[in-house]
Amino acid sequence: MTRPSFGQRVRRNEDARLLTGRAMFVDDVNLPGMLHVAFVRSMMAHGTLKGIDAAAARQRPGVVAVYTAADLGDYCKPGPVLVNPPPVPGHVFHGCTQLPLAKDKVRYVGEPIAMIVAESRYVAEDALADVIVDIDPIDAVVDLEAALKPGVPLVHPHLESNAAAHVVQRKGDYVAARAKADIVVKRRFLYDRGVAAAIENRAVAVDWDPRAEEMTIWDTTQAPIPIRNGLAKMLGLLESQVRVVAPFVGGGFGPKIMMFYPEELLLPWAAMRLHRPLKWTEDRQENFYATTQERGQVHEAEMALSKDGRILGVRDWFLCDTGAYDPYGLTIPINTQCTLLGPYDIPNYETEFTSVFTNKPIVTPVRGAGRQHGVFVSERLLDIAARELGIDRVEIRKRNLLGPDRFPHNHEIMFQDSAPLVYDSGNYLPTLEQAAEIIGYDKFIREEQPRLRASGKRVGVGICCYVEGTGIGPYEGARVTVEPSGTVRCATGVGTQGQGHFTVLAQIVADALGVGVEDVRVVTGDTREFHWGTGTFASRGAVVAGSACHAAAMSVRGKILDLGSAILGAPADNLELSGGRVKVAGSNDPGIAFGDLAGRANPLRGAVRPGTEPGLESTAYFGPDRGSTASGVHAMIVEVDPETAAVEIKRYLVVHDCGTIINPLLVEGQIHGGVAHGIGNAFFESLVYDDQAQLMNASFMDYLLPTATDVPPIETAHRETPSPFNVLGLKGVGEAGCIPTGAVFAQAVEDALGPGAGVEINEIPMSPNQLFELMHVSGKERA
Amino acid sequence: MGANVRVDVTVNGTRHRRDVEPRLLLSDFLRQDLGLTGTHVGCEHGVCGACTILFDGEPARACIMLAAQADGHEILTIESLAAPDGTLNPLQSAFRQAHGLQCGFCTPGMLMTLTAFLRDNPKPDEPQIREAISGNLCRCTGYQHIVHAVQIAAGTRAEDAE
Amino acid sequence: MKPAAFEYHRPDTRPEALALLEQHGGDAKPLAGGQSLIPAMNFRLATPAVLVDLNRVGDLAYMRVDSGVLRIGAMTRHRDVERSEDVRRAAPLLFEAMPFIAHAAIRTRGTIGGSLAHADPAAELPAVMLALDATFRVESVRGAREIRATDFFTGLFGTALEPGELVTEIQIPVTPATGPRTGTAFTEFSRRHGDFALAGVAARVTTDERGTCVSARIALFGVGDRPMAAAAGARLLEGQTVSDDLLRATADATAREDIDPTGDIHASSRYRRHLAGVLTRRVVARAFERSRVTHEE
Amino acid sequence: MNLAGTFTFAGPRATVWALLHDPAVLAKALPGTKTLTLAGPGRYEGAMKVSIGPLTAAEFAVVVTLSDEIEPSHFAMQIDGKGGVGFAKGSATVDLAEGADGGTVMTYASDIQIGGRIAAVGQRLVESVGRMMMKQALDSLNAELEARVKK
């Protein structure tokens, strides 16, 4: 018997290539005659573009072409709005998207103005300084609140204000609930921007074959199929003339989604004119400007509670920084609205946001995608309420959790996938109890903390809950083929950026067909192999593409059984599939190898019977009505040096529930990475803009990614509450690790400093310098 | 400006002679001129560690060295680690066992850094391992499984430990 | 992020190197380890017309102790300094500071002379040299001279080097030789391991047999435009025995009088000043402790 | 970046005023100035190449425009520098008062915005560089003043 791989710590199929340096990334594409591209980018955040003089650059030896907006003609059109807003009644949305090269106006530092094509990247960079750009500066829009005041310069002058969108969502009657409350806690919260910081920067390589009229584009994208379809349309080619390959991609984390970045649009266009292969590889400095970012939000939020700590309602009002353009619609702030509800029974909820245009790089989802903000707001309000009511932090959470009998639970507001927010399943109380037990919450509070505090040590514990909407539609597809060699191929559209699709999807197919995981070759991210689907985002790869792979594999299984039944002369339900063979169950006869069966199913002579298809191959699609809801609890123990304000994380625990687990090893890897990202956001990573939207730390020297000595060992425990929304019971896990980290960090640090310090952390990130200031200010106030 | 200079360098045991522009970075030389694309470039200012190679046996950042400086020296890259038939060496194998890589982009730099580290320090404890890789940024793994991989390679952790 | 073009020379001997530096004057930069220079060139914030690569000059990498002086050739790699038994014995402060410099893969290339001539105000080694009262030998085609560390660092990335001059040797008085009851200590506060410090302190304290401080040197980095000698702080220690009050007074005087830090995105001027005080107190306390240990040995 | 302070010149106010308006003197005093000429009333144009240790930012084209002049006590200026790796833009005010012993007390305040790669990579150094350049310029002007007063 081939042992089922589900739930096993299966090692990855893709690792050998990555570990030996053989795996191909986009920047590894080197073609004869290849030219290299660099972009002249705006040094000003906001201004009128009065003139571009590229004459000297065009003269420089080694420069092949210089293009400005004027050279693009009709191709210089604003890019598409990628995600239309969900149909929330009364919503306002102004979609403003970017031109491939700026014309008339620049709106952020780094906006591309001219494209230089040269024999090497070295020469292309030499030519950057040759281009003279004349910009008449306009005061930059930086601060979210100031951006909405009258008289402020407009990022998009055809609009009435810098408001990009406005949405109100309501559930129940918050005003009435508030009137009945014993206590209302209200605070202002900030959660600032960071970069995704995939270690691989973006890259695009293009080869246009003018004789075959075929274009191949290697692209560091999370969504090759939409990119192919969009580019074909823009370039006036058939979709079949364009092949987009997302080979190995060195980390995605959101910004490598189907952005139609200027570079993605311009290289194919130029390749068709120059008839030479082109490549652009973003450098790290460009990445800080040219690749999208996320996180800037300001909240004014209040929670109304009864004196026994039950949440009667929440009202949240927030501003969401969308940067200079808003191609990604309302995904981030809607996620914030929905995720704020957490695992709690919140009967009355009023949530309103305004998205704001600023002169900063474009905002699109980065791992977490607005969810951490919502969790930060509700978890912080609960902490403050617990303190004011004299209720223990874990206890107040327990009192408000949705019970296991409340599913599916309709929250009556709209989620990012344009469907109402419905939790599919969950079991929150045991998760919280398990986390409290593993971290030793009671004992820590009762014994360890007082003892350590008496010896001068400032230690604290934090514990926070979250739920995460994952695995949304619209759909993905997969084609499973048994080749005559016996190898099973599984082709799907989602790209892979390290999540382990080559293994996880192989496990799904292997278990359906009774073959080894290593015998399933997964092909992803190549439109020549599969061209229906969307991409890898919203923790959906395993859920949606996985379900499609399962369906396709089950269909192939049916074909194997049908054909096997005919050949072996036994009824299909008497057959078993194991070790890559179909045989009669319990018989000593070895049966038939899949490869032989595949040959028989594709005969060179004779007829394929009417109503059947040749070969052992099936294509299937999966489109969930709505996403599935993962959940979890994070707990952290920290020690704060009260003199230097340094914070050391002593323990970090994640108890989480992502439904049925395909591969615990990979799930743990996803969680570890997410937590590290969350720790970065909480404590290290900060994009510092001055009052003219100049980024002050566009390098890895000053933008601090957490290192191995900054991330503690992470303890994990798994719980499995399967999703009823897909056959396998799957929920997504890719983003879970980073969602509650800021909230749990804030709670733990406050707890370490103790109630006497009077420090309240309502802002993320929180550097030692900021913490020092908070400690100092509250110390003075106390005196 | 600046005539080409001769680089006579042994990479992974093979001697290469090239004339290069003095400003050519060693990382670009390895990747473009020699086609050894396993060495990855992540920041080009010496912080992320993805381009770490062994230069005369010691770890060095290829993105902040000139190809010209390699003249007369020996370099080992990620491509040197596995056996010619592709069999993974014990460190590579431990990375697979421990799931010490996800997207794999930082992995070549991690492996080269650790190759020198384990040679000099065959039985490191966890803080030593973490310090050893603290100059190599990874955005995917949170480092924990990399630490496990090093422990497996050093024989201080069982291969199937959870 | 590719460097601009430059003219490149790789001399084999010291006289050739000095001649090239003389010939090109201010247009030439010596390339030692390159771990600061090449990143700056990749950003095109440094665009030297000429690079004189010192890596082939054979006689600039050595460490030896003679007549009470630890001599380190300027092209000695950090990695070799950090692994040197001579350094551990003769200059424990330097030995203690080495692992704080960046990361192993940087230290294998970076050189002690390059780091000192670069004179980054947030770097560890210049402050260590101030605390140890080191002297640098510098050479040019016009001859050699010696510059005390206290006179060498003149401002932001500024040194007393004249065009054409090269640091060739670092001379450090052997620590035990300056008194049997000498203790040294080093620490820094940085956001992450290997980062430039927000503040850092190196100290050397010598006491008599009763534990009274007879001489003290405190040097700070990351808190000014150059490494800063804490004269006011050190003055308070002399003639005193260690006590919490003394340590606190020293730390306060250092933070208040000896430094004038600027702020940046990681640390305000006020926070740096505060950190400098805290670290000074901790480091001086440890130096005193160690002076007792040397005594007891 | 905000730079503000006071500086005492060892000479009379009228001479200080004259020095601060003499492009030849300013060119010598401002670190890295390659050329500086009077291009029109109250308008100076020139080129600077500032080097700080190993960092040699490419050449900057600089325009300084004076305004609100009340001789000999006050003027304001707009500063605009553009180069391949960044820019500096800002304004400053200068007030001159008669001090003790025939000296002149200058009070200055400036708000300079730095942009481009210099700001993005050099943030750690910007304030120190500003302070350093200001100090060098003032010391140099004072030396020139002393030389003139002696004559």
Side-chain angles (χ1 to χ4, degrees):
Chain A
M1 275 300 275
T2 306
R3 186 169 166 232
S5 72
F6 250 59
Q8 305 298 315
R9 304 174 79 80
V10 177
R11 271 57 178 182
R12 300 201 315 174
N13 284 344
E14 54 267 60
D15 284 356
R17 277 178 285 171
L18 291 163
L19 285 162
T20 52
R22 283 185 290 124
M24 193 186 80
F25 292 83
V26 175
D27 188 47
D28 301 343
V29 175
N30 269 320
L31 301 173
M34 190 164 236
L35 296 170
H36 297 263
V37 175
F39 289 90
V40 177
R41 297 180 183 278
S42 178
M43 267 193 242
M44 299 277 180
H46 199 187
T48 308
L49 180 53
K50 289 178 8 193
I52 308 165
D53 179 356
R58 291 192 169 102
Q59 296 299 312
R60 180 179 281 273
V63 170
V64 174
V66 179
Y67 300 114
T68 66
D71 301 307
L72 299 181
D74 288 347
Y75 198 67
C76 196
K77 285 196 289 251
V81 170
L82 303 166
V83 183
N84 286 314
V88 180
H91 81 266
V92 176
F93 174 68
H94 303 293
C96 294
T97 60
Q98 175 179 28
L99 296 170
L101 292 171
K103 189 159 66 179
D104 307 328
K105 196 170 174 188
V106 293
R107 294 184 173 87
Y108 63 95
V109 175
E111 184 158 17
I113 291 174
M115 173 182 180
I116 294 176
V117 185
E119 297 290 344
S120 79
R121 172 78 184 194
Y122 289 76
V123 174
E125 287 191 25
D126 292 343
L128 292 179
D130 298 338
V131 179
I132 297 161
V133 178
D134 187 7
I135 295 172
D136 212 4
I138 303 171
D139 258 351
V141 179
V142 186
D143 179 78
L144 292 182
E145 283 150 305
L148 297 176
K149 295 204 170 120
V152 169
L154 296 179
V155 178
H156 297 281
H158 69 281
L159 300 176
E160 283 173 10
S161 81
N162 285 315
H166 179 253
V167 172
V168 184
Q169 297 212 67
R170 283 194 189 87
K171 165 190 184 185
D173 182 346
Y174 175 73
V175 177
R178 189 185 201 280
K180 281 184 277 181
D182 295 312
I183 176 178
V184 176
V185 291
K186 181 173 182 178
R187 290 294 187 279
R188 178 186 159 86
F189 301 101
L190 305 178
Y191 211 113
D192 215 344
R193 272 187 188 230
V195 288
I199 305 301
E200 179 201 38
N201 290 308
R202 290 189 296 120
V204 185
V206 181
D207 187 23
W208 167 247
D209 181 340
R211 282 164 301 187
E213 293 190 328
E214 280 175 2
M215 179 171 297
T216 306
I217 301 165
W218 293 266
D219 189 359
T220 55
T221 179
Q222 296 170 223
I225 297 167
I227 290 291
R228 181 200 70 156
N229 298 350
L231 281 176
K233 194 171 162 200
M234 287 181 236
L235 296 166
L237 298 171
L238 297 174
E239 288 182 354
S240 57
Q241 285 176 283
V242 182
R243 175 188 178 198
V244 174
V245 185
F248 280 96
V249 173
F253 313 114
K256 287 179 181 166
I257 197 64
M258 64 286 193
M259 280 301 302
F260 296 100
Y261 279 107
E263 303 87 357
E264 277 173 320
L265 301 180
L266 291 170
L267 265 84
W269 178 87
M272 289 178 79
R273 271 141 198 88
L274 297 171
H275 290 195
R276 281 177 69 179
L278 294 180
K279 182 165 75 177
W280 167 77
T281 302
E282 183 184 56
D283 65 34
R284 182 54 61 183
Q285 186 150 48
E286 289 181 284
N287 182 266
F288 278 94
Y289 303 103
T291 290
T292 56
Q293 312 174 344
E294 201 213 304
R295 300 268 195 268
Q297 290 187 6
V298 184
H299 288 248
E300 302 267 1
E302 60 181 55
M303 182 179 274
L305 303 98
S306 63
K307 60 177 176 294
D308 63 352
R310 288 190 195 279
I311 303 170
L312 304 178
V314 173
R315 185 189 190 282
D316 184 26
W317 173 90
F318 66 100
L319 299 177
C320 176
D321 184 355
T322 193
Y325 302 94
D326 58 352
Y328 224 86
L330 303 178
T331 299
I332 291 167
I334 296 266
N335 271 355
T336 306
Q337 291 187 313
C338 290
T339 312
L340 185 143
L341 293 164
Y344 306 114
D345 186 2
I346 300 179
N348 302 289
Y349 182 38
E350 188 175 313
T351 171
E352 172 179 359
F353 70 80
T354 302
S355 272
V356 183
F357 287 118
T358 60
N359 292 115
K360 292 192 259 181
I362 301 170
V363 168
T364 70
V366 172
R367 197 175 204 168
R371 296 179 180 91
Q372 38 274 82
H373 311 74
V375 172
F376 190 68
V377 170
S378 54
E379 292 295 309
R380 291 274 64 206
L381 287 172
L382 270 174
D383 289 341
I384 293 158
R387 196 163 62 226
E388 297 199 0
L389 290 166
I391 301 173
D392 174 78
R393 285 170 281 160
V394 173
E395 177 58 29
I396 200 169
R397 287 173 167 81
K398 283 184 183 171
R399 288 181 194 177
N400 286 291
L401 293 176
L402 287 165
D405 54 340
R406 303 284 297 278
F407 297 92
H409 186 80
N410 189 338
H411 271 298
E412 301 166 34
I413 60 170
M414 199 68 82
F415 190 43
Q416 58 153 309
D417 58 352
S418 295
L421 176 68
V422 175
Y423 289 0
D424 54 347
S425 63
N427 195 3
Y428 303 139
L429 182 62
T431 312
L432 177 56
E433 286 175 337
Q434 190 180 0
E437 188 186 326
I438 297 175
I439 203 82
Y441 179 81
D442 290 335
K443 185 162 180 253
F444 182 86
I445 296 283
R446 255 196 340 266
E447 297 170 23
E448 289 171 40
Q449 191 178 40
R451 179 171 51 78
L452 289 164
R453 213 169 256 167
S455 71
K457 284 192 188 281
R458 299 278 177 271
V459 291
V461 63
I463 186 162
C464 288
C465 308
Y466 69 97
V467 299
E468 183 201 354
T470 73
I472 58 170
Y475 79 96
E476 288 299 334
R479 183 179 65 249
V480 172
T481 311
V482 178
E483 300 213 347
S485 64
T487 300
V488 179
R489 286 178 75 242
C490 172
T492 178
V494 296
T496 187
Q497 305 90 40
Q499 297 90 340
H501 291 139
F502 295 101
T503 308
V504 170
L505 301 180
Q507 282 182 260
I508 290 170
V509 172
D511 282 9
L513 297 181
V515 298
V517 177
E518 65 285 357
D519 297 324
V520 180
R521 290 270 297 276
V522 174
V523 184
T524 72
D526 182 344
T527 59
R528 193 176 64 184
E529 298 287 337
F530 201 86
H531 59 256
W532 296 101
T534 45
T536 304
F537 54 89
S539 300
R540 68 189 290 278
V543 181
V544 186
S547 295
C549 291
H550 178 73
M554 290 308 285
S555 170
V556 169
R557 181 186 173 92
K559 291 185 177 181
I560 291 171
L561 287 171
D562 284 350
L563 191 57
S565 169
I567 294 169
L568 294 171
D573 50 9
N574 256 7
L575 300 181
E576 66 178 30
L577 271 54
S578 181
R581 305 180 78 86
V582 55
K583 56 176 280 213
V584 178
S587 140
N588 287 331
D589 185 283
I592 313 169
F594 287 176
D596 296 339
L597 212 55
R600 304 269 289 262
N602 184 23
L604 291 172
R605 293 289 184 275
V608 171
R609 279 180 293 125
T612 66
E613 294 165 353
L616 296 179
E617 177 173 287
S618 280
T619 301
Y621 299 90
F622 177 74
D625 287 339
R626 48 182 56 118
S628 50
T629 316
S631 67
V633 175
H634 287 209
M636 182 194 278
I637 290 179
V638 299
E639 179 172 348
V640 182
D641 181 333
E643 287 192 317
T644 62
V647 179
E648 188 189 352
I649 302 172
K650 307 295 254 189
R651 282 182 71 192
Y652 201 105
L653 166 71
V654 178
V655 181
H656 80 105
D657 186 340
C658 64
T660 308
I661 293 180
I662 306 171
N663 186 331
L665 185 64
L666 269 56
V667 164
E668 284 157 23
Q670 289 293 312
I671 290 172
H672 296 164
V675 169
H677 198 149
I679 288 172
N681 287 152
F683 195 50
F684 291 100
E685 299 178 36
S686 165
L687 289 169
V688 184
Y689 292 91
D690 75 1
D691 63 3
Q692 289 302 320
Q694 291 286 336
L695 179 60
M696 307 298 282
N697 57 335
S699 81
F700 277 168
M701 291 179 293
D702 285 324
Y703 185 86
L704 310 177
L705 290 183
T707 73
T709 46
D710 304 312
V711 181
I714 296 153
E715 304 160 52
T716 49
H718 306 297
R719 304 190 66 86
E720 297 189 55
T721 309
S723 172
F725 289 178
N726 61 72
V727 178
L728 299 172
L730 305 173
K731 299 175 175 183
V733 70
E735 298 169 277
C738 65
I739 290 173
T741 323
V744 73
F745 179 83
Q747 191 194 107
V749 171
E750 274 179 26
D751 186 45
L753 292 171
V759 167
E760 199 175 278
I761 297 173
N762 293 328
E763 192 175 332
I764 290 292
M766 176 58 48
S767 70
N769 194 162
Q770 288 164 284
L771 185 58
F772 166 79
E773 296 294 339
L774 276 184
M775 289 159 70
H776 192 85
V777 167
S778 21
K780 254 203 314 222
E781 278 172 0
R782 218 171 45 250
Chain B
M1 190 167 146
N4 280 359
V5 287
R6 169 52 64 100
V7 179
D8 185 339
V9 59
T10 303
V11 182
N12 303 334
T14 305
R15 193 165 163 191
H16 302 271
R17 287 181 210 82
R18 295 279 197 286
D19 289 318
V20 303
E21 216 188 338
R23 63 169 164 169
L24 182 69
L25 296 173
L26 180 55
S27 46
D28 288 334
F29 175 74
L30 292 170
R31 291 177 49 77
Q32 288 167 22
D33 294 49
L34 302 188
L36 295 169
T37 54
T39 299
H40 293 159
V41 173
C43 76
E44 290 181 302
H45 54 285
V47 182
C48 81
C51 67
T52 306
I53 51 154
L54 296 185
F55 190 86
D56 293 338
E58 294 291 343
R61 315 279 208 220
C63 76
I64 51 172
M65 287 187 68
L66 304 173
Q69 291 182 280
D71 182 60
H73 294 273
E74 285 195 26
I75 288 172
L76 291 177
T77 69
I78 178 79
E79 286 91 347
S80 71
L81 296 185
D85 70 355
T87 306
L88 303 182
N89 80 6
L91 180 63
Q92 290 170 308
S93 175
F95 263 68
R96 179 160 191 264
Q97 280 305 315
H99 186 32
L101 67 157
Q102 290 183 25
C103 81
F105 197 79
C106 74
T107 309
M110 286 281 180
L111 290 172
M112 299 319 287
T113 300
L114 287 165
T115 297
F117 172 68
L118 286 171
R119 178 196 65 206
D120 298 341
N121 197 345
K123 294 281 174 212
D125 62 21
E126 176 161 346
Q128 288 171 327
I129 296 169
R130 286 185 178 269
E131 191 188 324
I133 57 169
S134 66
N136 293 75
L137 297 175
C138 171
R139 192 56 148 174
C140 295
T141 64
Y143 305 103
Q144 186 158 337
H145 283 155
I146 297 177
V147 172
H148 289 177
V150 182
Q151 290 169 330
I152 290 171
T156 57
R157 182 186 175 87
E159 273 211 8
D160 51 358
E162 296 199 352
Chain C
M1 289 178 57
K2 313 292 184 190
F6 51 82
E7 189 181 313
Y8 177 73
H9 299 278
R10 43 186 184 199
D12 291 311
T13 68
R14 192 184 304 208
E16 281 176 62
L18 295 176
L20 282 163
L21 289 173
E22 183 70 16
Q23 180 194 335
H24 295 286
D27 291 337
K29 286 280 173 217
L31 173 63
Q35 304 296 283
S36 297
L37 180 58
I38 296 183
M41 289 168 64
N42 288 357
F43 282 114
R44 298 204 182 200
L45 290 176
T47 49
V50 179
L51 274 192
V52 178
D53 185 345
L54 303 175
N55 286 278
R56 292 192 167 187
V57 179
D59 59 349
L60 283 172
Y62 55 86
M63 285 173 282
R64 62 171 180 268
V65 177
D66 64 49
S67 35
V69 176
L70 169 64
R71 295 175 189 277
I72 307 179
M75 283 296 289
T76 307
R77 312 272 171 199
H78 295 321
R79 196 74 171 148
D80 296 323
V81 176
E82 107 187 62
R83 289 170 166 176
S84 160
E85 200 46 36
D86 278 345
V87 171
R88 194 181 69 79
R89 277 199 305 266
L93 179 63
L94 176 59
F95 189 79
E96 186 179 6
M98 293 311 295
F100 287 90
I101 302 171
H103 300 281
I106 298 290
R107 297 198 296 272
T108 56
R109 297 296 306 159
T111 66
I112 188 164
S115 175
L116 293 169
H118 185 56
D120 191 306
E124 291 83 1
L125 290 181
V128 168
M129 295 304 152
L130 279 187
L132 291 176
D133 199 12
T135 297
F136 309 142
R137 178 180 170 86
V138 306
E139 292 179 37
S140 70
V141 292
R142 286 151 291 161
R145 61 183 179 128
E146 290 181 350
I147 309 175
R148 276 184 71 188
T150 44
D151 302 322
F152 185 78
F153 302 103
T154 57
L156 188 66
F157 292 104
T159 68
L161 288 173
E162 300 287 336
E165 279 188 329
L166 190 68
V167 176
T168 55
E169 183 180 272
I170 290 82
Q171 302 161 354
I172 302 171
V174 172
T175 294
T178 58
R181 295 169 188 84
T182 295
T184 59
F186 178 93
T187 197
E188 68 177 42
F189 186 89
S190 61
R191 289 301 315 273
R192 301 173 304 181
H193 175 77
D195 282 349
F196 278 121
L198 304 187
V201 184
R204 193 189 71 182
V205 171
T206 304
T207 63
D208 66 16
E209 61 280 6
R210 286 189 300 275
T212 305
C213 175
V214 294
S215 77
R217 296 181 74 88
I218 305 171
L220 294 91
F221 56 101
V223 291
D225 66 351
R226 69 194 87 174
M228 314 291 276
R235 211 160 32 237
L236 289 181
L237 296 175
E238 285 169 20
Q240 305 293 317
T241 53
V242 68
S243 68
D244 282 352
D245 284 349
L246 178 70
L247 293 171
R248 215 166 287 279
T250 302
D252 286 351
T254 300
R256 218 176 33 242
E257 295 171 40
D258 288 324
I259 57 173
D260 183 16
T262 52
D264 72 355
I265 64 164
H266 300 302
S268 64
S269 168
R270 184 166 88 134
Y271 182 49
R272 278 179 203 276
R273 201 184 284 278
H274 169 82
L275 285 174
V278 172
L279 300 182
T280 299
R281 200 190 75 234
R282 292 178 181 179
V283 159
V284 172
R286 204 172 337 132
F288 266 107
E289 262 169 50
R290 288 174 177 171
S291 74
R292 269 200 302 278
V293 176
T294 358
H295 177 46
E296 280 152 16
E297 276 171 358
Chain D
M1 173 180 51
N2 292 297
L3 286 174
T6 59
F7 184 84
T8 304
F9 287 101
R13 183 156 70 158
T15 319
V16 174
W17 177 272
L19 285 178
L20 289 171
H21 288 72
D22 182 340
V25 173
L26 291 172
K28 263 199 291 184
L30 292 170
T33 304
K34 298 180 84 174
T35 61
L36 192 70
T37 53
L38 191 62
R43 182 182 164 93
Y44 301 84
E45 292 180 4
M48 290 179 84
K49 186 165 183 173
V50 180
S51 296
I52 300 117
L55 307 181
T56 43
E59 200 162 296
F60 276 69
V62 181
V63 178
V64 179
T65 318
L66 301 187
S67 59
D68 301 342
E69 289 184 276
I70 307 167
E71 189 171 355
S73 63
H74 174 88
F75 62 94
M77 55 182 157
Q78 289 292 321
I79 302 149
D80 196 349
K82 272 187 212 155
V85 294
F87 65 87
K89 250 180 105 54
S91 58
T93 56
V94 176
D95 287 281
L96 300 173
E98 285 178 358
D101 304 327
T104 303
V105 178
M106 178 170 110
T107 306
Y108 60 91
S110 66
D111 182 1
I112 311 277
Q113 202 224 336
I114 310 292
R117 222 174 299 151
I118 310 171
V121 185
Q123 67 84 20
R124 179 168 73 93
L125 308 173
V126 164
E127 193 180 333
S128 296
V129 171
R131 280 196 200 184
M132 180 187 82
M133 289 179 63
M134 184 66 88
K135 183 176 183 317
Q136 282 182 16
L138 292 172
D139 286 346
S140 164
L141 283 172
N142 199 34
E144 177 67 25
L145 176 69
E146 283 174 349
R148 286 200 188 181
V149 172
K150 266 185 209 148
K151 269 188 226 161

